């Protein structure tokens, strides 16, 4: 079953409600600009990293949504509820929502 995609407005509501956002891009891509508060969990670390994530729903993000969809499917197979942010970080930024640069410790 494919993961559900949510638009940026819905993702923002979920983010504000405290749902975890993970950015599944490489550390370098993440440092170049990511959703404020997003954890960097490169897709190649899943599903091993799934157990280390906070409880609750997860929003997955990448640049435009392709890797995020794969990550959400991996998380779903691991029993987690995950949603894909349609359009990824680019759509988030285009909507004027908070994006930050630089590394962030997981």
């Amino acid at each position: 079953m494919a993961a559900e995609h949510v638009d940026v407005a819905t993702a923002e509501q979920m983010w504000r409600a405290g749902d975890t956002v993970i950015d599944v891009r490489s550390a370098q891509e993440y440092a170049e600009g990511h959703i404020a508060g997003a954890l960097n969990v490169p897709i190649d670390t899943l599903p091993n990293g799934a157990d280390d994530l906070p409880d609750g729903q997860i929003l997955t993000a990448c640049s435009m949504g392709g890797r995020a969809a794969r990550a959400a499917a991996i998380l779903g197979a691991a029993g987690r509820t995950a949603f894909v942010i349609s359009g990824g970080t680019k759509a988030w930024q285009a909507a004027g929502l908070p994006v930050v640069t630089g590394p962030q410790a997981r």
Side-chain angles (χ1 to χ4, degrees), residues 48-82:
N48 296 340
D51 293 338
D52 296 335
L53 296 174
D55 292 336
Q57 299 183 139
I58 299 171
L59 290 158
T60 61
C62 62
S63 180
M64 296 184 62
R67 285 177 281 182
R70 291 196 311 273
I74 291 168
L75 291 167
R80 300 299 304 266
T81 301

Side-chain angles (χ1 to χ4, degrees), residues 15 23 25 29-38 88-102:
W15 172 75
D23 188 316
R25 298 175 296 164
E29 291 172 296
Y30 175 85
E32 290 170 359
H34 57 273
I35 294 169
T89 303
K90 288 185 181 201
W92 184 273
Q93 185 172 22
L97 298 171
V99 174
V100 296
T101 58

Side-chain angles (χ1 to χ4, degrees), residues 16-29:
R16 289 192 184 280
D19 287 341
T20 300
V21 177
I22 64 168
D23 188 316
V24 299
R25 298 175 296 164
S26 70
Q28 180 179 345
E29 291 172 296

